């Protein structure tokens, strides 16, 4: 038996964790000359995680890519610390939200597995 | 989230070193040199993005690699971080102050100081401090998310 919500939240948290690491890396390299900010496309990464069989095309589409919309500084660095902190906060809230939903779903599952207290 | 702690740790260490270098520059801003000596030149650190598992020694890199594959599941993403590639010396001209009574004054009465720009160093210090604060914010948030994860596994 495969519990569907565990699969879904697992995939979501996996993608969110990869994003969190990339955003942390962007912030860490905010003063590195020539560094370009990276992020993963969420849709592609999520569908690659959710596909039952590993699909090389989907995995390739989910690879980290450079952010294209930021101003490049004189030293070749295009990290915007404000944007990255915003992304980090957003991503963290999403992870906490997913964990909260996962908590509730797990509690519901456990409730369903318990013997009926009224004995019917 | 084992990843994030290594990344943020490397970033905090790098920014800390940068602040140390700035402190050294500011401390030497008023250093003077006798005629013929080499004046103090401001140091500037240069950061470099680097995968953590190639910069550490073999025992540590093995640990990080297994940790990454374990935590990431199907992810093939390497763990990144930042390191200090080295320091460069500023090429600005050293200051020349007219002070004939100073024992370090040259034949024309000028004393050679350092080439540290105090205002520039203060701006750099604020930048380093802001980056450090951003790293701390990421660290705190990673901890908060981890705590929430742990509490989501305790089933009442």
């Amino acid at each position: 038996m495969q519990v569907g919500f565990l699969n879904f939240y697992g995939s979501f948290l996996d993608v969110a964790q990869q994003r969190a690491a990339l955003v942390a890396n962007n912030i860490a390299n905010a003063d590195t000359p020539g560094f370009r900010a990276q992020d993963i496309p969420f849709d592609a990464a999520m569908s690659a995680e959710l596909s039952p069989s590993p699909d090389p095309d989907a995995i390739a589409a989910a690879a980290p890519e450079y952010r294209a919309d930021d101003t490049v500084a004189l030293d070749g660095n295009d990290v915007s610390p404000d944007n990255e902190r915003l992304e980090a906060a957003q991503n963290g809230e999403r992870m906490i939200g997913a964990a909260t939903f996962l908590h509730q779903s797990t509690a519901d599952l456990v409730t369903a597995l318990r013997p009926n207290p009224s004995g019917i | 989230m084992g990843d994030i702690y290594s990344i943020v740790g490397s970033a905090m260490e790098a920014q800390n070193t940068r602040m140390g270098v700035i402190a050294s520059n500011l401390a030497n801003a008023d250093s003077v040199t006798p005629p013929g000596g080499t004046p103090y030149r401001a140091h500037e650190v240069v950061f470099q993005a680097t995968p953590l598992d190639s910069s550490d020694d073999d025992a540590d890199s093995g640990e990080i690699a297994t940790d990454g594959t374990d935590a990431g599941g199907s992810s093939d993403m390497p763990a990144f971080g930042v390191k200090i590639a080295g320091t460069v010396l500023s090429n600005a001209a050293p200051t020349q102050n007219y002070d004939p009574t100073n024992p370090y004054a040259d034949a024309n009465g000028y004393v050679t100081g350092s080439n540290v720009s105090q205002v520039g160093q203060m701006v750099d210090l604020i930048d380093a401090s802001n980056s450090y604060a951003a790293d701390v914010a990421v660290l705190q948030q990673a901890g908060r998310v981890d705590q929430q994860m742990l509490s989501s596994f305790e089933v009442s």
Side-chain angles (χ1 to χ4, degrees), chain B residues 72-142:
Chain B
S74 62
S75 82
D76 50 354
M77 199 188 59
F80 282 105
V82 63
K83 74 167 185 179
I84 291 181
T87 58
V88 291
L89 291 173
S90 164
N91 280 326
T95 55
Q96 303 277 346
N97 283 324
Y98 185 68
D99 185 7
T101 58
N102 194 305
Y104 283 172
D106 62 7
N108 297 324
Y110 283 97
V111 179
T112 307
S114 71
N115 71 346
V116 177
S117 148
Q118 281 170 318
V119 174
Q121 293 296 318
M122 285 310 292
V123 171
D124 218 20
L125 181 64
I126 292 169
D127 189 31
S129 174
N130 279 343
S131 297
Y132 193 90
D135 294 330
V136 172
V138 171
L139 185 64
Q140 281 173 340
Q141 188 170 41

Side-chain angles (χ1 to χ4, degrees), chain A residues 14 17 25 31 88-89 93, chain B residues 1 15 18 72 80 131 141 144:
Chain A
D14 219 12
Q17 199 172 33
N25 188 40
D31 299 313
E93 290 305 321
Chain B
M1 310 264 283
Q15 298 292 351
R18 185 177 169 204
F80 282 105
S131 297
Q141 188 170 41
R144 213 157 53 88

